[in-house]
Amino acid sequence: MGGSKMPNVEDGMSSLSIVNTNIHERLPIEAPLVSSYNDRIRPLLDTVDKLRNLNVMREGIQLPTIVVVGDQSSGKSSVLESLAGISLPRGQGICTRVPLVMRLQSSHSPEPEMWLEFADKRVDTDEEHVAEAISLTTDAIAGSGKGVSDNPLTLHVKKAGVPDLTMVDLPGITRVPVNGQPENIYEQISAMIMEYIKPEESIILNVLSATVDFTTCESIRMSRQVDKTGERTLAVVTKADMAPEGLLQKVTADDVSIGLGYVCVRNRIGEETYEEARREEELLFKTHPLLSMIDDEIVGIPVLAKKLTEIQAVMISRCLPGIVQKINEKMDNSILELNKLPMVMTSTREASRTLMNIIGSTKLSLLRILVQVDFSEFPNDQNMKSTARLADMLGQLTDNLQAQQQPQNVTGEFLIDEIKVLEECKSIRLPNFIPIPAFLALLSQRVDSIQSKPVEFITQTWDYIEGVLLSILTKYSANFPQIQSSVKRAGRNLITKIKEQSVNRVIEIVQMEKLTDYTCSPEYMTACTQKIASQETFINAVLNNTVCNLTSSGFGSFQISHLRKYNVQLLRQAFDMKVRITAYWAIVVRRIVDSLALYLQFSVKHLVNSQFQDEMEAELMNLSGGGGVVEKMLEESPSVSSKREKVEKSIKLLKESKDAVAAIVDQNSGC
Ligand code: GDP
Ligand code: MG
């Protein structure tokens, strides 16, 4: 059991131990084993410190951090003090009110250096004034009351003999607000603690007072929420001097699953100096009848320092590859974001040229999508497969019109429409001629009944094309949010205009059908001949039956009782007319669909080939006086420029971080 627990000249652990500067000054050069260990660890730590300095946390990249948690007055600040060899504000009530990041760095200089950093400010201080300086800056950050704040304060300590460690001290957990504390103090503090201990990269240093039952510690409850198995939790048991009874059992039983183990310590009491405190600690664990039974390996501040340094090193080397990857990802994203930001134009000429380019690119894109059936630009957007979509719409129109090829009259009764028209157009003529006015009247009725469909169709197609055009315009003007709405408005206006023209044209195409009855298609005669053949069957059915089956001539099967009251001559004539109108209507529907199809193709091509460019240029290049678009391109909105600044800053930061990490990763992979 020999050997001193107190690191000193003999055991060669000086660089990890907390010893008084004076003692340290007397130390010889570090033993070779230790220095090689430090040589490996030091660059890793420097890198992480550099990243921390660069504030990569702000980019959402977590760094391996030792987080000190514990219930109030458990001795957190005292432990940190012991590790750093300095005085921190200590005492009753809530003293630590902001996250205090302690960066301990051993140095060879005999003069310790210390300074505080918060919100880009730096306050130099020294051992004598550090406690006071922390209190003052805490007041500056969190107000002079008893409230807490999650804005961190960083304390840099460069001193011979301190371990290379970075730790965060957090306010202690209190259940009951003391006088002057906000009601939700518990929620505030536990949220802050959670934020720090949640990341997988954090090492939780749980400070437990030997005087309490560990199972009732709030800090244990919290750390177990984020680290169930305790694999990243180390416990420090303070105040060993105050409750030596049963301490050995407590730390060996491990009722609260602390994966990284326990270290029992005795901190500075009252006005002791650090070296006195360390000597007292060593003496206590060596000579106390109960405490001396605890294994050397888990007692004393020097052991704690050594353990923390080792755990920190393991954690850092484990985390670095992930950090590299995250830095790369963040950087790629930021560069992408920067590229997406609107560009700044410097001259009217440049702005005009860019605007022309937007129009030109949109035109080419429209050409590919609407005419050339080339969807490589939007491979995953089904809505952009425009030719298919337009064909679908035309198919729908055809189906729609064909469903009306045999429109029933209002009552749904066979032949009633024909009879009605014939009676209205009666004249003094031979009965076996179809009166042309009656036929045209019937045709006209039918045409009117379907007119809304082609109009709907053409409106729908232009609505669709407008959608496509706006998507393309949005894409090509994405870098210029200041003109995007104007460009889109111009596009919308153009389509509205074309839509109006198209609707008029479509109405013409449909109305033309009412003027005369003509087709050169022999199909008409074929259909007529085939259908008229069933005329006698029909007449006989009216005279003898109640149901007539004319499925063979395409009229289906229907009731005929309502036709009994008409004379046979009229029925013949009506049937005759039904035959002709049915045969002809099929031709009419096909002709309308065909014309619409050709017209649509024609007008789309016209739009792409000339109309789009001409009209957009006229509207946007200020020729029609509605512009100001070019001028707008010369301005950068304040929100965009501040965003640009932010992204550029973050890229710079990530680049520096990347370089910092690359250096160390290269070095490590080399060995
Ligand atoms: P914190 O609220 O967790 O930061 O706790 P402090 O570090 O402020 O300590 C609370 C009180 O416990 C102070 O009065 C310390 O002096 C005292 N204390 C801390 N550690 C020890 C120890 O190891 N032994 C004794 N006797 N007192 C201690
Ligand atoms: Mg404290």
Side-chain angles (χ1 to χ4, degrees):
M1 251 308 282
S4 148
K5 283 181 204 97
M6 181 66 191
N8 55 27
V9 185
E10 288 84 47
D11 69 7
M13 294 297 290
S14 59
S15 71
L16 296 173
S17 61
I18 306 299
V19 283
N20 174 276
T21 326
N22 296 330
I23 293 178
H24 192 78
E25 272 165 25
R26 285 187 263 111
L27 292 176
I29 304 149
E30 292 162 334
L33 196 91
V34 176
S35 59
S36 85
Y37 174 76
N38 278 350
D39 285 348
R40 275 192 292 128
I41 295 314
R42 201 46 202 273
L44 290 176
L45 268 179
D46 284 347
T47 308
V48 174
D49 275 353
K50 179 146 194 211
L51 293 180
R52 206 182 302 274
N53 236 355
L54 287 169
N55 230 337
V56 289
M57 312 274 242
R58 210 165 37 197
E59 299 295 322
I61 295 171
Q62 297 293 346
L63 295 176
T65 306
I66 298 170
V67 185
V68 184
V69 297
D71 294 2
Q72 215 176 75
S73 295
S74 57
K76 294 179 297 300
S77 302
S78 302
V79 168
L80 289 174
E81 242 183 22
S82 304
L83 288 170
I86 53 158
S87 304
L88 290 173
R90 245 194 338 181
Q92 291 306 304
I94 181 168
C95 293
T96 310
R97 299 190 289 127
V98 298
L100 176 69
V101 181
M102 284 237 304
R103 296 188 50 198
L104 306 182
Q105 235 181 306
S106 80
S107 84
H108 294 294
S109 153
E111 274 305 305
E113 261 182 273
M114 248 161 255
W115 69 97
L116 287 162
E117 264 176 20
F118 66 103
D120 292 339
K121 286 197 217 32
R122 177 183 163 129
V123 179
D124 288 302
T125 182
D126 56 32
E127 289 200 69
E128 212 179 310
H129 300 98
V130 64
E132 192 188 343
I134 291 174
S135 293
L136 285 174
T137 40
T138 299
D139 286 354
I141 297 172
S144 52
K146 288 182 174 157
V148 296
S149 160
D150 51 13
N151 292 324
L153 169 65
T154 306
L155 169 63
H156 297 255
V157 179
K158 264 184 146 174
K159 197 175 159 184
V162 301
D164 281 304
L165 280 175
T166 302
M167 294 167 293
V168 185
D169 185 19
L170 293 171
I173 310 156
T174 33
R175 270 287 177 192
V176 193
V178 299
N179 238 357
Q181 274 182 354
E183 272 307 306
N184 65 345
I185 188 83
Y186 173 76
E187 284 75 21
Q188 278 189 39
I189 294 179
S190 42
M192 198 192 298
I193 293 175
M194 274 301 181
E195 188 199 328
Y196 276 89
I197 61 176
K198 211 171 186 172
E200 288 291 320
E201 294 83 355
S202 294
I203 298 145
I204 305 170
L205 183 62
N206 217 321
V207 180
L208 307 168
S209 164
T211 57
V212 303
D213 176 1
F214 297 165
T215 55
T216 64
C217 281
E218 191 73 12
S219 64
I220 289 282
R221 199 184 59 78
M222 289 188 78
S223 71
R224 283 172 79 170
Q225 276 180 34
V226 292
D227 179 27
K228 282 197 183 53
T229 54
E231 59 181 353
R232 51 189 179 90
T233 303
L234 175 70
V236 191
V237 184
T238 60
K239 309 186 191 177
D241 55 313
M242 289 169 71
E245 302 80 21
L247 184 55
L248 176 61
Q249 285 71 25
K250 263 173 148 171
V251 298
T252 39
D254 187 21
D255 290 332
V256 290
S257 30
I258 302 289
L260 296 176
Y262 295 78
V263 180
C264 304
V265 301
R266 172 211 182 270
N267 291 308
R268 189 171 71 105
I269 300 170
E271 296 309 309
E272 280 173 359
T273 62
Y274 302 109
E275 64 270 30
E276 279 165 4
R278 292 289 73 76
R279 227 171 285 140
E280 287 301 326
E281 182 184 57
E282 192 189 357
L283 204 66
L284 179 72
F285 285 111
K286 236 183 190 164
T287 57
H288 190 283
L290 292 170
L291 296 178
S292 62
M293 290 164 66
I294 304 176
D295 187 350
D296 285 8
E297 294 300 305
I298 62 163
V299 297
I301 288 291
V303 168
L304 176 64
K306 179 172 174 266
K307 277 204 170 174
L308 281 176
T309 324
E310 285 168 1
I311 293 169
Q312 181 182 248
V314 170
M315 202 63 158
I316 290 176
S317 33
R318 195 188 299 160
C319 290
L320 268 184
I323 293 176
V324 174
Q325 196 187 340
K326 268 194 203 142
I327 292 178
N328 285 338
E329 276 166 20
K330 299 262 168 192
M331 192 142 118
D332 290 349
N333 284 345
S334 298
I335 290 175
L336 248 157
E337 204 178 333
L338 185 68
N339 289 341
K340 270 199 234 146
L341 282 181
M343 290 171 225
V344 209
M345 303 279 116
T346 48
S347 70
T348 315
R349 242 186 91 223
E350 193 187 354
S352 309
R353 207 176 46 227
T354 309
L355 188 56
M356 296 282 277
N357 278 343
I358 295 177
I359 297 174
S361 310
T362 309
K363 175 190 161 154
L364 284 177
S365 189
L366 277 178
L367 180 71
R368 281 193 296 272
I369 289 173
L370 293 175
V371 180
Q372 294 172 342
V373 202
D374 169 2
F375 306 120
S376 48
E377 200 181 333
F378 300 90
N380 300 318
D381 189 345
Q382 287 311 315
N383 197 42
M384 290 303 233
K385 310 267 153 61
S386 70
T387 45
R389 291 295 319 276
L390 290 176
D392 285 348
M393 288 181 207
L394 191 68
Q396 239 170 37
L397 172 73
T398 316
D399 292 349
N400 243 333
L401 290 179
Q402 256 153 16
Q404 280 211 343
Q405 264 201 21
Q406 294 162 15
Q408 295 292 328
N409 65 314
V410 216
T411 54
E413 286 170 326
F414 187 73
L415 223 53
I416 291 298
D417 283 344
E418 288 76 8
I419 291 172
K420 207 166 147 243
V421 170
L422 278 173
E423 284 189 325
E424 279 164 6
C425 300
K426 249 193 304 218
S427 62
I428 307 173
R429 305 273 316 251
L430 282 173
N432 62 343
F433 285 92
I434 288 279
I436 279 300
F439 186 79
L440 287 181
L442 199 56
L443 180 61
S444 187
Q445 266 179 22
R446 287 202 171 195
V447 169
D448 286 343
S449 78
I450 56 103
Q451 171 153 307
S452 63
K453 291 183 199 301
V455 171
E456 261 165 41
F457 161 76
I458 202 74
T459 313
Q460 191 193 5
T461 53
W462 285 111
D463 285 346
Y464 167 72
I465 292 171
E466 180 176 305
V468 170
L469 172 62
L470 291 183
S471 303
I472 302 174
L473 279 175
T474 307
K475 178 184 160 186
Y476 286 108
S477 61
N479 278 338
F480 308 94
Q482 68 271 46
I483 60 152
Q484 207 166 37
S485 66
S486 308
V487 171
K488 285 198 298 203
R489 193 178 328 112
R492 228 175 287 146
N493 288 346
L494 172 61
I495 299 290
T496 308
K497 194 169 123 190
I498 299 179
K499 204 196 287 179
E500 246 167 58
Q501 290 167 355
S502 291
V503 166
N504 289 336
R505 178 80 190 104
V506 167
I507 292 177
E508 266 173 28
I509 291 176
V510 176
Q511 290 296 315
M512 278 190 306
E513 294 294 343
K514 282 157 79 169
L515 288 184
T516 184
D517 47 336
Y518 174 74
T519 179
C520 66
S521 164
E523 255 173 63
Y524 168 71
M525 282 313 294
T526 316
C528 276
T529 316
Q530 185 232 339
K531 287 180 195 297
I532 204 75
S534 57
Q535 192 174 35
E536 282 319 306
T537 319
F538 166 68
I539 296 295
N540 285 336
V542 175
L543 296 177
N544 305 316
N545 303 318
T546 52
V547 177
C548 176
N549 187 348
L550 296 184
T551 320
S552 61
S553 51
F555 290 122
S557 163
F558 46 87
Q559 286 285 326
I560 41 167
S561 45
H562 63 286
L563 297 173
R564 288 253 167 79
K565 58 181 187 235
Y566 299 107
N567 78 44
V568 173
Q569 200 52 53
L570 180 62
L571 287 177
R572 267 186 213 288
Q573 214 175 16
F575 189 84
D576 199 358
M577 195 147 86
K578 172 115 201 144
V579 165
R580 286 162 206 236
I581 193 81
T582 311
Y584 186 55
W585 188 246
I587 307 261
V588 169
V589 164
R590 209 174 305 148
R591 191 157 53 202
I592 291 177
V593 174
D594 285 351
S595 309
L596 286 182
L598 295 188
Y599 172 67
L600 179 66
Q601 292 290 79
F602 172 79
S603 46
V604 166
K605 264 193 193 140
H606 180 54
L607 166 75
V608 174
N609 287 340
S610 59
Q611 215 173 3
F612 175 74
Q613 188 149 14
D614 293 350
E615 308 240 345
M616 290 294 275
E617 278 175 19
E619 176 136 2
L620 293 173
M621 306 300 277
N622 225 353
L623 300 179
S624 59
V629 177
V630 170
E631 287 73 16
K632 273 196 208 151
M633 290 180 93
L634 296 170
E635 304 157 5
E636 170 150 87
S637 75
S639 70
V640 173
S641 57
S642 75
K643 183 146 187 226
R644 178 191 307 283
E645 231 166 75
K646 218 183 100 202
V647 179
E648 275 170 352
K649 217 162 143 187
S650 133
I651 291 177
K652 184 167 169 270
L653 190 156
L654 289 166
K655 173 129 191 16
E656 283 171 30
S657 313
K658 203 174 152 168
D659 291 347
V661 180
I664 183 74
V665 170
D666 285 353
Q667 211 172 53
N668 277 13
S669 62
C671 58

